[in-house]
Amino acid sequence: MPSDVLPGTLVIGGGIGGLSAALCLALRGGTVTLAERSKSFAEVGAGIQLAPNATRILRRLGVLDKIIPLAVRPRRLVLADAINDRELTSLDLTDFPARYGAPYLVLHRDDLLSALLEGCQRSGVELHTDAHVTRLEDTGDGVVAACADGREFRAEIAIGADGLHSRIRKLFADDEPVNSGFVAYRGAVPMEQVERHADLRDVVAWLGPGLHLVQYPLRSGRMYNQVAVFRSPSFARGDKDYGNPTELKEAFAGCCEHVRESLGTLSIENRWPMLDRPPIPGWAHGRLALLGDAAHPMLQYLAQGACQALEDSDALADALAAAGNAGRPPAEGLAAYAARRAPRAMRVQRTARTWGEIWHVDGVAKLIRDELLIDRDVADHRHVAWLYDEAALERNAS
Ligand SMILES: Cc1cc2nc3c(=O)[nH]c(=O)nc-3n(C[C@H](O)[C@H](O)[C@H](O)COP(=O)(O)OP(=O)(O)OC[C@H]3O[C@@H](n4cnc5c(N)ncnc54)[C@H](O)[C@@H]3O)c2cc1C
């Protein structure tokens, strides 16, 4: 039943952010149209970690039950030394449902995207692929989006969920992605191809000077996900073709045997530069707002980019419903959404940068970091509770 409380919404971009926003709005009875540039809805062939701040929302959306059979519930998050093969510290994930109200999951990105897409299809979201939005206008009484092929979409409000390189963000900020100088190679491979693996019950991040490798199982242990990240010397020299596979191998040459041999099964077909943007608080203007990476692109070190997009989607639907119920215009709902979400997402963006610096230190700083991590009480949740705890959402929002 279409809602007369929620405004008709155009969502631009059909990644995890756009699909989850469309689903959140449609489940509350909103009329939603989604325009995706690509010919089909697709994700990178790699894994994703979902913390309880995201899985709580997925449960409300009816998506958690669909993905759990395909996901792995890891036992621990482990930080290990990539050079001397030593465990530095860990976090027990098994009590997360009791502690944070939902599990910590790792799964294939395709499985998450498919479940969100299926939810959108079931709840009546009008989905358009091959719809590259090149122009968006707030006309005062609505929005009009024009596509490269001449198609036009009209709605009461529009949400730019078009990712790190967002075109819609240009209407909000005059900034560009910032290249951290790090390059990632990543991919999931069938478990049979993996001769050496970390403990299959854990998510393990191997840390070294200017590099790290993350490993975890997917699809009930039938696949193995690996992400290798390193600081590219050729990027620092200004080379155009920086971070090639030879440089990857050289970067990891001083690592322990396990880490070096793991690179043998790493997909080297694609490389990703690691980019973010400076935080901006103004994600809403009139009838337009940003969501997901378009609003707060972050480095991946906290594994929170998609989790934050899910928080956005939930908060957006709440704010629009509250405005509608109070008889206030949708623009006020969008402003309330941005005011609620931006402080927390900006904190996550900033912390992700700092976390990356801590992961990649060398010399004396590395010695100090390692001692602090080894001495850390593994039952201490202070560094994650602000992210995962539901009560912390309220505190972070102000
Ligand atoms: C190496 C790495 C590891 C990561 N690991 C994690 C993790 O473990 N956990 C986690 O939570 N996050 C993780 N992230 C971050 C996460 O992947 C992103 O934050 C998330 O996917 C962003 O989703 P999004 O929908 O906002 O953007 P995107 O996924 O970029 O989607 C944007 C969509 O918009 C479409 N689009 C773009 N322009 C237009 C246009 N003009 N018109 C129409 N459509 C358009 C694109 O085709 C795309 O489908 C990781 C990131 C990286 C790089």
Side-chain angles (χ1 to χ4, degrees):
M1 226 3 211
S3 149
D4 52 1
V5 169
L6 289 174
T9 305
L10 172 66
V11 176
I12 299 164
I16 295 166
L19 286 173
S20 63
L23 183 54
C24 282
L25 293 168
L27 287 178
R28 285 171 179 258
T31 304
V32 189
T33 304
L34 185 146
E36 163 56 41
R37 172 179 66 181
S38 305
K39 290 202 184 311
S40 60
F41 294 93
E43 259 288 347
V44 174
I48 192 159
Q49 304 179 50
L50 293 176
N53 56 319
T55 52
R56 276 195 303 265
I57 295 166
L58 290 170
R59 182 166 50 216
R60 289 205 283 279
L61 297 178
V63 169
L64 190 62
D65 284 350
K66 304 265 189 277
I67 58 175
I68 278 196
L70 303 164
V72 169
R73 277 189 194 197
R75 183 186 59 156
R76 296 184 308 158
L77 279 179
V78 177
L79 296 182
D81 190 323
I83 308 300
N84 62 23
D85 203 352
R86 176 175 60 153
E87 184 169 317
L88 298 171
T89 191
S90 67
L91 188 69
D92 180 2
L93 304 174
T94 54
D95 69 346
F96 268 37
R99 191 186 279 271
Y100 296 120
Y104 196 103
L105 298 182
V106 288
L107 75 161
H108 200 290
R109 282 168 178 264
D110 278 345
D111 297 338
L112 174 60
L113 204 78
S114 300
L116 290 170
L117 183 60
E118 211 181 283
C120 285
Q121 284 160 340
R122 254 187 295 116
S123 42
V125 176
E126 193 183 304
L127 296 160
H128 296 266
T129 49
D130 224 348
H132 185 185
V133 173
T134 51
R135 198 170 49 79
L136 178 65
E137 197 187 338
D138 177 346
T139 56
D141 57 354
V143 296
V144 188
C147 291
D149 62 3
R151 261 179 297 171
E152 252 187 27
F153 297 106
R154 289 174 188 270
E156 288 173 76
I157 60 167
I159 306 300
D162 52 341
L164 166 77
H165 297 284
S166 171
R167 181 185 278 264
I168 309 305
R169 184 173 167 116
K170 291 191 194 307
L171 301 172
F172 292 79
D174 182 23
D175 65 355
E176 292 294 332
V178 178
N179 194 322
S180 67
F182 281 76
V183 174
Y185 285 83
R186 60 178 162 163
V189 290
M191 194 58 88
E192 316 70 271
Q193 290 180 18
V194 182
E195 279 172 28
R196 275 180 174 270
H197 51 70
D199 190 314
L200 286 181
R201 292 167 298 178
D202 296 334
V203 173
V204 184
W206 302 88
L207 313 184
L211 62 86
H212 72 264
L213 172 73
V214 176
Q215 299 182 303
Y216 53 83
L218 300 173
R219 291 193 175 146
S220 316
R222 285 179 283 118
M223 295 193 88
Y224 200 54
N225 187 64
Q226 304 194 99
V227 188
V229 177
F230 65 100
R231 188 185 290 116
S232 163
S234 58
F235 174 80
R237 287 196 301 271
D239 293 0
K240 266 213 158 91
D241 180 35
Y242 59 89
N244 63 28
T246 310
E247 208 171 63
L248 165 78
K249 217 169 158 195
E250 283 166 9
F252 283 82
C255 291
C256 62
E257 195 182 355
H258 169 84
V259 171
R260 273 187 287 115
E261 290 197 3
S262 295
L263 294 196
T265 49
L266 183 68
S267 163
I268 51 166
E269 273 168 39
N270 291 305
R271 75 190 100 145
W272 283 267
M274 296 289 92
L275 311 167
D276 68 356
R277 291 186 192 240
I280 53 163
W283 306 347
H285 191 258
R287 291 173 175 271
L288 312 179
L290 299 173
L291 183 142
D293 275 10
H296 46 69
M298 59 186 69
L299 297 174
Q300 79 282 16
Y301 306 119
L302 289 176
Q304 274 288 317
C307 298
Q308 290 301 304
L310 279 153
E311 283 194 22
D312 293 345
S313 300
D314 191 45
L316 175 71
D318 271 358
L320 288 172
N325 282 322
R328 296 197 308 271
E332 284 191 26
L334 293 179
Y337 148 72
R340 181 185 166 81
R341 284 289 303 134
R344 173 167 162 88
M346 293 195 305
R347 180 177 175 193
V348 182
Q349 270 179 296
R350 290 195 192 98
T351 311
R353 277 191 182 183
T354 308
W355 203 228
E357 284 165 23
I358 295 170
W359 275 24
H360 298 136
V361 288
D362 196 1
V364 177
K366 178 182 180 304
L367 293 175
I368 296 169
R369 178 203 65 193
D370 290 355
E371 284 314 307
L372 288 172
L373 288 179
I374 288 164
D375 280 352
R376 180 186 154 265
D377 175 359
V378 291
D380 182 358
H381 278 242
R382 274 174 305 176
H383 69 295
V384 291
W386 69 278
L387 274 172
Y388 302 161
D389 193 353
E390 187 139 42
L393 288 175
E394 299 304 324
R395 291 195 294 277
N396 294 160
S398 50

